[in-house]
Amino acid sequence: MASIEQIGTAPPSPPAKIFIRRHSALTRITHWINVLCLTLLLMSGMQIFNADPQLHWGNYGAVEDPSWFEIASNQDGDNIIGIVRIGRLSMTTTGILGASTADGEMMPRAFPAWATIPSYQDLAAGRRWHFFFAWLFVINGLVYMAYGLIGGHFRRDLAPTARDIAPGNIWHEIKDHARLRFPKGEKARRYNALQKLTYLIVIFILLPLMIGSGLTMSPAIDAGYPFLLDIFGGRQSARSIHFITAWSLVAFVVVHIAMVILSGLWNNIRSMVTGRYAIINEEADR
Amino acid sequence: MSSIFTRRRFLIGSAASLGAVGLTGCDDISQNQHVQQVLALAERLTMGTQRLIVSPQTLAREYTDADISPSFHPNGSIQPNSAEYIQMAETQFADWRLKIDGMVNRPMEFSLADLKKLPSRTQITRHDCVEGWSAIGKWQGVPLGLILQTAGLKPGARYAVFYCADELEQTLDGSGRYYESIDLIDAFHPQTILAYSLNGKDLEVEHGAPLRLRVERHLGYKHAKYVMRIEIRDRFDDLWGGNGGFWEDRGYEWYAGI
């Protein structure tokens, strides 16, 4: 009950720190399964790439044909030199790409042993890891998609509002992000426009591109669904797009983790583990 | 290896070993039998799904002459080294015979000239290696289904096993000899042919002369080269490694549709 003293003075201020339920259990579970899948898919994918470390455009492409990208291992006397070539541009990457140490010895190897699964060269094992986690990733993705569409997650949390995508607002958010000023208080209840757009690009463009280009590398799927070859411009183009998209996802993850750290590491991690996200109410400070 | 043992080398060696311990943790998991069995479940799921969503008769895309690779990359064995094979190659395979036996009503033998007289199919298809590269070539050969119909399959027949002339790994028990197997769905697929010609010329030795299997919709290692004998069987788990092929015995999937 309000006491006499409070009446007529300032309205009761909201608590300084409140907890909201930011992520549903399904979002949290599918998020962490995704972390596991994408990590193992990347590591086994690099193992698979090492079996033929060059990329082509078009329907065909083998070692005799021109490649637009290559991680080469060149012998120079007793030394092995690692070289990454993109088109005509090349740079020496000995120690990491093209030549790296395994068991204390410099070896010709596109991606280094510490980045691949298994660490030693074994295409068959790499493929087994890759396809197992590809299936888990697809099933996990379907569950998330069903929840997003039927459960309203996409409409409620990810669909940008007209105000979100107004150029002025986006420019404003870019400036704020660049200055590491993140939304506080009531505004932090929802994803900001840059977050929404980034997540939408990942969910509806990059991840489907990954699956589509991966399936296009399957000779059996190509027989049943030849339009995939037309969409991606041939099997070797699909392999190139699979590679580029994979590293686009890595770039996303790097920025994503940086933002998680900069905008409140513990609060963000707690919200993705327990669902609880703390909001600091600025008005309360006045 | 150098015999000089210096402190510097020792330190580098120790650091590398420590690094290897971390990696070995992952590799232990990777080599664990149970882990491998779980991971291999995905192979069955892949095969079941692909067989469900791609009907047995669906053809792989056929390309035009303009799409043919300027050079078709030869891979795996490019020169079988048995005296028997080398001798046959010297006489343009005049003495070579393809044997069809096992669970068939009429075991048969074909010379290269016999095969060339049979109805043939020509197809320009894409060859996809498990390593990642692709090459497009024009193949001509006899549909395997035609040969199997002529020989007549006995009830219970399930697989065609291809025995090859090349030995990819030198072993005492012959397990390094190349072999492959496909089931009857693939054996009777219209594009599954026993090819004797690539790009309008007799198969060269590096491409599997005198005869190789083309089983489109599968990765390259299923396309056995230097085929000498086809045995129709109801199982393949009693052959060498038990997995139905040279590369299958070395960890690769029997169903190579992806």
Side-chain angles (χ1 to χ4, degrees), chain A residues 38-238:
Chain A
L38 289 181
T39 305
L40 288 166
L41 282 167
L42 179 70
M43 294 177 76
S44 56
M46 288 191 283
Q47 166 74 242
I48 295 169
F49 178 85
N50 277 3
D52 181 28
Q54 50 183 317
L55 296 169
H56 308 267
W57 295 113
N59 290 309
Y60 65 80
V63 65
E64 292 87 350
D65 304 307
S67 59
W68 70 268
F69 178 86
E70 180 183 19
I71 302 182
S73 314
N74 296 345
Q75 196 74 32
D76 176 32
D78 285 344
N79 298 321
I80 304 162
I81 311 278
I83 289 170
V84 170
R85 181 179 59 77
I86 303 172
R88 284 185 194 166
L89 279 174
S90 59
M91 59 181 161
T92 307
T93 49
T94 312
I96 305 171
L97 300 173
S100 48
T101 45
D103 296 331
E105 223 178 309
M106 191 63 92
M107 307 269 266
R109 222 166 181 286
F111 287 109
W114 55 261
T116 65
I117 186 163
S119 70
Y120 48 86
Q121 188 65 41
D122 186 342
L123 174 60
R127 283 166 53 82
R128 223 172 292 130
W129 282 99
H130 203 71
F131 296 134
F132 181 88
F133 282 95
W135 270 111
L136 186 59
F137 169 74
V138 166
I139 293 165
N140 190 48
L142 290 175
V143 170
Y144 176 77
M145 284 287 177
Y147 164 72
L149 290 170
I150 301 160
H153 172 53
F154 293 155
R155 182 174 35 78
R156 205 172 47 238
D157 304 320
L158 288 177
T161 61
R163 203 199 151 274
D164 277 337
I165 50 170
N169 179 58
I170 291 189
W171 177 236
H172 177 72
E173 284 195 14
I174 290 173
K175 282 193 295 189
D176 274 359
H177 273 75
R179 292 180 195 138
L180 305 181
R181 284 208 308 232
F182 299 104
K184 294 250 168 10
E186 284 306 299
K187 280 186 183 166
R189 278 180 181 271
R190 311 194 62 77
Y191 289 146
N192 60 62
L194 292 185
Q195 264 179 306
K196 286 180 182 175
L197 293 175
T198 309
Y199 295 153
L200 288 173
I201 288 170
V202 169
I203 295 165
F204 291 103
I205 297 178
L206 294 185
L207 296 182
L209 265 182
M210 257 351 258
I211 297 167
S213 58
L215 286 173
T216 307
M217 283 187 268
S218 154
I221 295 292
D222 283 350
Y225 307 89
F227 65 85
L228 284 168
L229 289 167
D230 301 322
I231 291 176
F232 288 102
R235 182 184 191 243
Q236 290 301 316
S237 298

Side-chain angles (χ1 to χ4, degrees), chain B residues 39-59:
Chain B
L39 294 181
L41 291 176
E43 185 195 341
R44 285 198 219 159
L45 187 56
T46 302
M47 176 173 169
T49 307
Q50 291 202 346
R51 281 278 162 87
L52 192 72
I53 65 172
V54 180
S55 80
Q57 294 293 306
T58 306
L59 300 186

